[in-house]
Amino acid sequence: MTTTLVPSFPAPTGPSPPGGVPEPTAASPSPARWIRPALVALLLGTAAAYLWDLSVSGYANTFYAAAVQAGSKSWKAFFFGSLDTSNFITVDKTPGALWVMDLSARLFGFNTWSLLVPQALEGVAAVGILYATLKRWFGPKAGLLGGLVLATTPVAALMFRFDNPDAFLVLLLVAGAYALTRAIEGARTRWMVATGALLGFAFLAKELQAFTVVPAFAAAHLLAAPGALRRRIAQLGVGLASLLVAAGWWVVMVALWPTGSRPYIDGSPDNNIFNLIFEYNGFSRLSGSSGPGGGFSGPAGLFRLFDDLMGGQALWLLPAALVALAAGLLWTRRAPRTDRTRAALVLWGGWLVVTGAVFSFSSGIIHPYYTVALAPAIAALVGIGATLAWRQRALLSTRVLASATLLATAGWSFALLDRTPAYQPWLRFVVLAAGLSGAAGILAVGRLRRVELAVLGGVSLAACLGGPLAYGATTIVTAHSGGTPSAGPAVASATGPGGLAGGPGLGRGGAGPAGGPPGLGRRGAIGRRPPALGGSGAFPGGPPSGSSLRAGRAGRLAGGPSSGGGLGTPGGRGGSVSSALVKALGTGSDHYEWVVAMFGSQQAATIELATGGLPVMAIGGFNGQGANISLATFESYVAAGKIHYFIASGSQQGPQRANSDAAIASWVEAHYRSTTVGGITLYDLTSPR
């Protein structure tokens, strides 16, 4: 047995063995016998899991669902990502992720399945591409393990069955990593163009979050691609140009489009696409200038990813991934510049560290489900680390490190499962026992026979994946809705919109920070069916500040009982709409640009979905930072006969927005007749007092 404690892995510069880590001869059957069936089983199993009872969540996030419905009916709404077919206002994101769902709805008709099946298939594709990426340099076993880890990550099971932009974002980032891997192999410029284009389209899915991987991608290529430094820098420049074109063409078109013939840009008080990108969805998320995010994901800091809100989403194997990263960089410290093992560690490790740091230290709103963007990097590092450890299993130091890592992973899983003591209480002890057994077996791996090695592999997988598999299964069979969904069971000690635990009717939702919107996440009051219209207000903060309205009018503005309540809640949670209201809004709808005007995109989305896509004017947008129209502007719409009805339900954040809403509501109430339909007060803007 060799006495070397720190192996050095030579890297190929041409067609030599991938990764520079030659596979030692082992008494195992040729992988060709079972690799392909295993891959097919992995992909089919992932598809079955992600497609299982997919309609359980209905339209999931009704905010995006309504935009998809609009995009399936209007090409202009498709292009801009408008909430309504008459193109009053967009959603508060760039529309790249909506386009896939829009096309599906156009082909198959708009329904739950056409909305969510593309998301599930994007998850299957991400698993397959991750397998292909890892296989190129580390072999099919690494690819299978990495794909399995990604597929079983609880938050992946959530977001690939949901209509938020994160599913498409993750798929494009993984595809970008594959393209970069091909670019590094032969310093191929065309693959750098593909890498930039994929990252650019990822930007159109979720804006600046897509760029958190760019430092890692650039460092990996600059470090390890063959050729002179000048050539590598030039190729990076080509990739950057491709990224800017792919990300910027839509932005430039929107910026140059005459404002009078396009929808308002939600998330931008001044109707400016650059404000949406760089402030609302950009630097304010880092600084917290648009509002604190601690209530959604815990206090910012080094250990945020490990807290009760974030830990169980995607971070089960984070300690193992970090160990693999550190050990791999140590093992390859003397390797040639073009070493592929180190390049892969820089790529996936940089992705994990930079994106994780952004999520950890941002003072603005960071939702727990954002951690799905970390899942591919964690999965890749686990696959790479396990492969490197196996290839160096003759070294005692490697076996000790692998054994300790498995034991730490099982201990971390025990701690995560212990946060939900009533949830499968036996599972955490099984996971811990499997970890102890696997750790002992790894130390003795050199004396184990083929069957014993197979048992050891199964026990080790149970220790690592038992917790996430259970959380993922629970996620799949549970209905989710709203803008703050969360994977797995409710965590007893978690607080805030993303993870407030409670009795029946709360789950992972509940009231947000003082004065803020409630966040309905997993389960919540909805179960399998959305709640009926009516009930308490859309915002708990009471009537808008500065309002001079009498109590009844203030109740309507706050979505209180006097008006029949709020039509959905912030965060995209929908409600049910009475058949009487649907009939009233549909009567003569062809004669109006908008069948009804109201405050807030969430409430508007609820009505649009219930009426089959009739256009609703959502004044103030998602949270009052878009379509800030004045009373005079609203009066001009009414005078032109463009709006049939008005519903004074919901309010917006901020005194300026609230005052404007109050002025519009007061003017409507003073000048137009009202009637109550299905518990909702409707003002007929064609019937003056």
Side-chain angles (χ1 to χ4, degrees), residues 110 127 145 161 178 188 245 258 361 442 513 556 620 665 670:
F110 177 75
V127 171
L145 180 57
R161 293 167 50 87
Y178 174 83
R188 296 167 181 165
V245 171
F361 295 102
I442 288 174
R556 283 192 293 276

Side-chain angles (χ1 to χ4, degrees), residues 42-209:
L42 172 63
L43 296 180
L44 289 179
T46 303
Y50 290 175
L51 292 169
W52 179 267
D53 197 15
L54 193 58
S55 61
V56 67
S57 297
Y59 290 126
N61 190 336
T62 56
F63 176 62
Y64 292 120
V68 171
Q69 184 181 53
S72 70
K73 295 174 177 290
S74 162
W75 284 112
K76 187 174 182 179
F78 174 97
F79 178 78
F80 287 106
S82 300
L83 187 72
D84 61 286
T85 54
S86 293
N87 294 283
F88 178 73
I89 192 170
T90 68
V91 296
D92 63 343
K93 298 285 188 301
T94 44
L98 299 177
W99 290 338
V100 180
M101 293 180 280
D102 288 344
L103 293 175
S104 173
R106 280 183 174 270
L107 287 173
F108 303 107
F110 177 75
N111 54 59
T112 294
W113 286 89
S114 65
L115 176 74
L116 299 180
V117 165
Q119 305 291 89
L121 296 182
E122 286 165 9
V124 177
V127 171
I129 295 172
L130 181 62
Y131 164 84
T133 306
L134 296 177
K135 176 179 177 290
R136 294 194 68 84
W137 288 359
F138 301 97
K141 297 174 186 176
L144 286 172
L145 180 57
L148 179 63
V149 171
L150 174 58
T152 56
T153 301
V155 75
L158 172 68
M159 298 316 296
F160 287 124
R161 293 167 50 87
F162 210 75
D163 53 343
N164 277 22
D166 301 76
F168 195 48
L169 170 72
V170 170
L171 171 61
L172 291 173
L173 294 183
V174 174
Y178 174 83
L180 182 70
T181 298
R182 298 296 302 271
I184 292 175
E185 286 178 358
R188 296 167 181 165
T189 302
R190 66 179 182 273
W191 281 107
M192 283 302 296
V193 173
T195 302
L198 288 164
L199 294 184
F201 275 98
F203 168 86
L204 292 181
K206 210 176 178 192
E207 297 164 59
L208 295 181
Q209 185 182 331

Side-chain angles (χ1 to χ4, degrees), residues 198-257:
L198 288 164
L199 294 184
F201 275 98
F203 168 86
L204 292 181
K206 210 176 178 192
E207 297 164 59
L208 295 181
Q209 185 182 331
F211 292 167
T212 59
V213 305
V214 169
F217 280 43
H221 184 272
L222 193 62
L223 171 68
L229 178 61
R230 179 180 299 177
R231 176 178 172 81
R232 283 175 275 144
I233 293 176
Q235 287 179 327
L236 279 180
V238 171
L240 177 61
S242 175
L243 183 154
L244 292 176
V245 171
W249 67 271
W250 182 87
V251 175
V252 170
M253 288 187 68
V254 173
L256 297 178
W257 204 292

Side-chain angles (χ1 to χ4, degrees), residues 469-488:
L469 265 172
Y471 267 47
T474 296
T475 301
I476 287 170
V477 300
T478 304
H480 299 81
S481 74
T484 57
S486 188

Side-chain angles (χ1 to χ4, degrees), residues 607-622:
I607 290 182
E608 288 184 358
L609 292 172
T611 58
L614 293 180
V616 177
M617 177 184 285
I619 301 171
F622 185 78

Side-chain angles (χ1 to χ4, degrees), residues 205-398:
K206 210 176 178 192
E207 297 164 59
L208 295 181
Q209 185 182 331
F211 292 167
T212 59
V213 305
V214 169
F217 280 43
H221 184 272
L222 193 62
L223 171 68
L229 178 61
R230 179 180 299 177
R231 176 178 172 81
R232 283 175 275 144
I233 293 176
Q235 287 179 327
L236 279 180
V238 171
L240 177 61
S242 175
L243 183 154
L244 292 176
V245 171
W249 67 271
W250 182 87
V251 175
V252 170
M253 288 187 68
V254 173
L256 297 178
W257 204 292
T259 57
S261 62
R262 65 160 171 80
Y264 286 95
I265 303 299
D266 198 3
S268 171
D270 59 356
N271 196 19
N272 188 315
I273 186 63
F274 296 105
N275 185 295
L276 170 71
I277 293 170
F278 294 106
E279 177 58 27
Y280 179 85
N281 283 325
F283 299 116
S284 70
R285 298 291 181 120
L286 300 177
S287 65
S289 59
S290 63
F296 291 94
S297 53
L302 182 63
F303 298 106
R304 173 188 271 180
L305 294 180
F306 296 91
D307 69 16
D308 292 344
L309 291 166
M310 307 280 269
Q313 301 300 299
L315 291 312
W316 298 79
L317 296 178
L318 178 59
L322 294 175
V323 170
L325 174 62
L329 291 176
L330 177 64
W331 289 344
T332 57
R333 70 187 187 280
R334 296 194 183 97
R337 178 185 64 79
T338 54
D339 179 70
R340 290 180 182 177
T341 298
R342 184 170 55 204
L345 292 169
V346 170
L347 166 61
W348 298 106
W351 176 335
L352 175 62
V353 171
V354 175
T355 306
V358 170
F359 292 165
S360 295
F361 295 102
S362 294
S363 299
I365 295 174
I366 299 292
H367 292 296
Y369 67 80
Y370 288 6
T371 54
V372 72
L374 300 175
I378 293 173
L381 289 170
V382 169
I384 293 169
T387 301
L388 297 184
W390 177 254
R391 294 178 183 179
Q392 298 296 322
R393 61 189 180 276
L395 298 175
L396 176 61
S397 59
T398 301

Side-chain angles (χ1 to χ4, degrees), residues 588 591-592 594-595 638 640-646 671-673 683-689:
H591 301 295
Y592 302 95
W594 294 278
V595 296
V638 175
K642 294 184 176 183
I643 312 171
H644 193 181
Y645 292 108
F646 176 79
H671 291 86
Y672 293 93
R673 294 187 176 94
Y683 290 88
D684 188 343
L685 300 182
T686 66
S687 179
R689 289 183 182 275

Side-chain angles (χ1 to χ4, degrees), residues 503-543:
L506 268 181
R508 280 183 177 269
L520 183 68
R522 199 189 69 79
R523 297 187 185 182
I526 61 162
R528 288 176 179 259
R529 297 179 181 273
L533 282 175
S536 59
F539 282 79

